[in-house]
Amino acid sequence: MTECLFCRIVQGEIAADIVYQDESVIAFRDIQPQVPTHVLVVPRRHVAGYNDLTKDDDALLGSVGRAAAHVAQLEGIGSSGYRCVVNSGQDALQSVPHLHVHVLGGRPLSWPPG
Amino acid sequence: MTECLFCRIVQGEIAADIVYQDESVIAFRDIQPQVPTHVLVVPRRHVAGYNDLTKDDDALLGSVGRAAAHVAQLEGIGSSGYRCVVNSGQDALQSVPHLHVHVLGGRPLSWPPG
C-alpha cells in the first residue's frame, strides 16, 4: 500500500471533497483553505514534483494545467481571476511530495505571493 | 508589429535579462523582483493565459514547466525550494496577457501565496 497521501486519495482510500476528475487528474478542496476557493489539482500518476519532471510528463502537465483552468470555471472564478501555485521543496513549504497545483481565488490576491 | 510586451521580448525588440532559452520558451528576470530569485518563464508562442489553453498547448505547457524547474536549478534554488506562480485575470493581478510562470525563491516563502 502506498504511503503517498495524494495517491491514496486518487485510489479512493482516503476521502476528499472532489470537485472535478478525468482520466488524468483529480481535483479536490484543500483541507486548509486560504481563500474562498482553494482547490488542489493532482495528476493521478505519481510525480513527486517539478524537479522530477521529464519530457514524458509534458502531456500530463498539460492536462493538469487545463484542469486547473476548468476548475476555475466550475468554481465561478474563471473571469474574476485566480492564481495557480506549485510549491517545490522546503523554502516553498511543499507539504506533500506528489505534484499538485493550488488553484486559489474568490478574493483579490496580493503580491508578492508569499 | 505586435503590441504584446512578452512577444516583443521573444522577438528581441525589447531587451531582457535572459537566463535561459530553448526552442519553446524564454526565461528572463522580472523587472520588479519580489524575492532574491524571480524569473519569468514565457512560451515563445503567444498564449494569453490559462483560460485560453487547449489540448494543442499540452506539450508547450510541459516545456514551460520543465523550463521552470531547469531555471530553478540554474539559479541554485532547485534544492532549497521555489514556488511557481501563474496569475490569471484581475483578482490575481495578471499584468501581461501572455502566459508566464513566475519562478520565485532564494528565501523562505510564506503561506498563503497572496
Side-chain angles (χ1 to χ4, degrees):
Chain A
M1 189 175 69
T2 179
E3 291 182 6
C4 172
L5 174 62
F6 288 170
C7 282
R8 295 188 70 185
I9 289 177
V10 166
Q11 292 164 12
E13 295 174 7
I14 294 177
D17 187 358
I18 296 170
V19 299
Y20 172 75
Q21 54 185 315
D22 61 28
E23 69 280 11
S24 304
V25 312
I26 187 167
F28 49 89
R29 296 191 195 285
D30 194 296
I31 58 170
Q32 294 185 298
Q34 302 292 318
V35 289
T37 298
H38 189 170
V39 173
L40 304 182
V41 178
V42 174
R44 290 183 182 276
R45 177 161 61 79
H46 184 87
V47 179
Y50 261 35
N51 285 350
D52 304 279
L53 291 171
T54 71
K55 196 167 174 55
D56 290 340
D57 300 313
D58 279 8
L60 188 62
L61 213 56
S63 295
V64 170
R66 283 186 292 113
H70 185 61
V71 163
Q73 299 296 335
L74 291 175
E75 294 287 315
I77 57 172
S79 298
S80 51
Y82 55 100
R83 182 167 288 166
C84 294
V85 175
V86 177
N87 295 321
S88 300
Q90 188 163 9
D91 267 1
L93 304 173
Q94 182 179 8
S95 53
V96 178
H98 181 133
L99 180 65
H100 53 288
V101 178
H102 295 262
V103 180
L104 305 115
R107 67 160 168 78
L109 297 159
S110 59
W111 198 249
Chain B
M1 189 175 68
T2 179
E3 290 182 7
C4 171
L5 174 62
F6 288 170
C7 282
R8 296 188 68 186
I9 289 177
V10 167
Q11 292 165 11
E13 295 173 8
I14 294 177
D17 186 357
I18 296 170
V19 298
Y20 172 74
Q21 55 185 314
D22 61 28
E23 68 281 9
S24 303
V25 313
I26 186 168
F28 49 88
R29 296 190 194 285
D30 195 295
I31 58 170
Q32 294 184 298
Q34 303 291 318
V35 288
T37 298
H38 188 169
V39 172
L40 304 180
V41 178
V42 174
R44 290 183 181 276
R45 177 162 60 78
H46 184 88
V47 179
Y50 260 36
N51 285 349
D52 304 279
L53 290 171
T54 72
K55 198 167 173 54
D56 290 341
D57 299 313
D58 278 8
L60 188 61
L61 213 56
S63 295
V64 169
R66 284 186 292 112
H70 185 61
V71 163
Q73 299 296 336
L74 291 175
E75 294 288 315
I77 57 173
S79 299
S80 51
Y82 56 98
R83 182 167 288 167
C84 293
V85 175
V86 177
N87 295 320
S88 299
Q90 188 162 7
D91 267 1
L93 304 172
Q94 182 180 9
S95 53
V96 177
H98 181 133
L99 180 65
H100 54 289
V101 178
H102 295 262
V103 180
L104 305 114
R107 68 159 168 79
L109 297 158
S110 59
W111 197 248

